[in-house]
Structure formats: structure tokens, C-alpha cells
DNA sequence: TTTTCAGTTCGAAAAATATCAAACAATAAA
DNA sequence: TTTATTGTTTGATATTTTTCGAACTGAAAA
């Protein structure tokens, strides 16, 4: 059985969250989730990246508090922790939603 | 005569700004400026850091669009580009102001 | 049970970043 | 003019981060 540690609202740190958002791959994943609700790894619109690298980025996003997983069978569905983020960092989700997604 | 290039509002990039804020030293400088208006290097409340390192961090903040300099004699006064940031990333400055400054 | 599928973890290599001391530049003060 | 002050730049090193392939894990399908 999986037991994954997510930071609680009070454990979330703005610098850590900003560092997580400071990578273009991760920013794209977060913006994707902010718009779409829930997706599994293959749903993130990031190209030319190995699955181990993607998994690494997901871990950083999860540990920063930005996203949370839901396990269903062999799939891992991820979603943005909108309510928690809105409580801890009011305005942050809107900021992400207002920003157009970069297409490379 | 100094000619420093600041990014225009439309040149500001959210990922780059987040990367700039994703370092504890730089986050502290920005929060300091968000609260205090204008300060020179010796006014940032960061300890145990050489002046060359501080200068490096200031450059990253300036090039991301977060801060702007004003030259007066031998001093360089820095301030947060609040109006520009509010236009480009509405809510970001408030987000920084709402967040208590970490004291290590 | 064996295979396939979705994803994580491990170990290593490459790239980027943070840090400092020393040298430099520009202004102001002596 | 010489010296002190405020900060930047340069060059080097140490650390961190990104990236990948290979091996692994757990669940579902064959």
C-alpha cells in the first residue's frame, strides 16, 4: 500500500512553491491541471521527456504542495490542490489561470 | 553612464519570475522591498553572504523584471516594480505582501 | 500464471546555479 | 590627487538540478 506524504496547508512554503513553478516543464503541467481538473501522466502536454524525468517533476510538484495524486488501478491521476492553495496563497491559482500557456 | 536593460511588461515571463523567487535569499530581498519601498544593497536583511553573491542575486531579480534600480551617487537603490507587476501578474504583489517573511 | 501497462526509484552523467575572492569601476570625501 | 565607499564583473569551485536508461513495483489483462 502506498502512503504518500503531502504537505499540509501550513507546511507549504512560498519559496519552495515558486522554485517548483520555476521550471518550464513543471509550469506547463501545473497550468494544464489548473485548467483541466484531473489528468494522468500521459495527459500532461509535455513532449520530448522521458517518463523518469516526468516522474521526477511530479514528485517536486507534489512535495511542494501544488498537486495531489489519486490512485485508481494502475493509473495515477493528479490534480491541482486548488482549495488548499487558495487558502494558503490567496490569488495564486488565479494568477496561474490568467497566464496563457506557453507553446514551444 | 550606465544603461541597464529591464524587461518590459510584455517581456516578463511567469516561469522566469517564479525561478527568481524560488531562492530564499532572493525571496527575502523581494519581500523586504515589497514592504519598504526603496533600499540599497546594505539595506536588504540578508546575512552571511558576500557582496558578489548579493550582486548576482540582484541581477537575476532585475532581469526577471521584479526589481528596478535607481542610481544616486555611488549608491544603487532598488525597488519592486509594483505597478508593472500588478499589470502583468495581477495579485502577485499582494501574494508577496500577505506572506510573512521567514526569519532564519 | 504470465504478460502488459502505468508509473516510480536508482544510479550516473550533464547542465545549470550559487558561492566566494580578487580585480575592477564610478562616485564622493579627505 | 589620493583614499574610501558602494557596488559590479570575472574566474573558479562547489553544489544542486535536470535528464536519461535500466531495473523495479503494483495492478490489470490475457
Amino acid at each position: 500500500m502506498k502512503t504518500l506524504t503531502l504537505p499540509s496547508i501550513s507546511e507549504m512554503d512560498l519559496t519552495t512553491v515558486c522554485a517548483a513553478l520555476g521550471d518550464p516543464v513543471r509550469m506547463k503541467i501545473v497550468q494544464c491541471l489548473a485548467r483541466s481538473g484531473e489528468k494522468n501522466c500521459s495527459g500532461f502536454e509535455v513532449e520530448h521527456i522521458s517518463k523518469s524525468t516526468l516522474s521526477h517533476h511530479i514528485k517536486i510538484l507534489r512535495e511542494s504542495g501544488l498537486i495531489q495524486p489519486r490512485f485508481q488501478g494502475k493509473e495515477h491521476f493528479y490534480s491541482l490542490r486548488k482549495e488548499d492553495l487558495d487558502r494558503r496563497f490567496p490569488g495564486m491559482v488565479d494568477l496561474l489561470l490568467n497566464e496563457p500557456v506557453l507553446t514551444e
Side-chain angles (χ1 to χ4, degrees), chain A:
Chain A
M1 175 61 181
K2 284 262 181 188
T3 27
L4 278 186
T5 46
L6 290 183
S8 66
I9 292 184
S10 63
E11 283 170 339
M12 291 181 188
D13 172 62
L14 183 56
T15 306
T16 305
V17 167
C18 286
L21 292 171
D23 175 275
V25 174
R26 294 194 292 263
M27 177 60 85
K28 207 163 179 209
I29 293 172
V30 167
Q31 288 183 315
C32 177
L33 291 180
R35 284 163 172 74
S36 75
E38 225 189 21
K39 286 201 171 159
N40 67 354
C41 288
S42 64
F44 307 144
E45 291 129 21
V46 286
E47 295 104 36
H48 309 305
I49 196 173
S50 72
K51 59 179 184 169
S52 53
T53 300
L54 187 53
S55 198
H56 162 74
H57 286 306
I58 287 170
K59 187 179 184 183
I60 288 177
L61 290 173
R62 177 174 47 75
E63 289 177 345
S64 78
L66 280 163
I67 68 175
Q68 71 191 146
R70 178 175 68 84
F71 304 105
Q72 181 183 287
K74 48 187 171 182
E75 283 176 278
H76 297 194
F77 288 97
Y78 289 96
S79 58
L80 197 68
R81 293 176 61 185
K82 285 193 190 186
E83 292 76 15
D84 292 341
L85 289 168
D86 260 341
R87 197 163 307 174
R88 181 66 180 79
F89 306 114
M92 179 179 285
V93 175
D94 286 338
L95 212 155
L96 293 166
L97 284 170
N98 285 338
E99 191 64 12
V101 181
L102 282 184
T103 51
E104 72 266 45

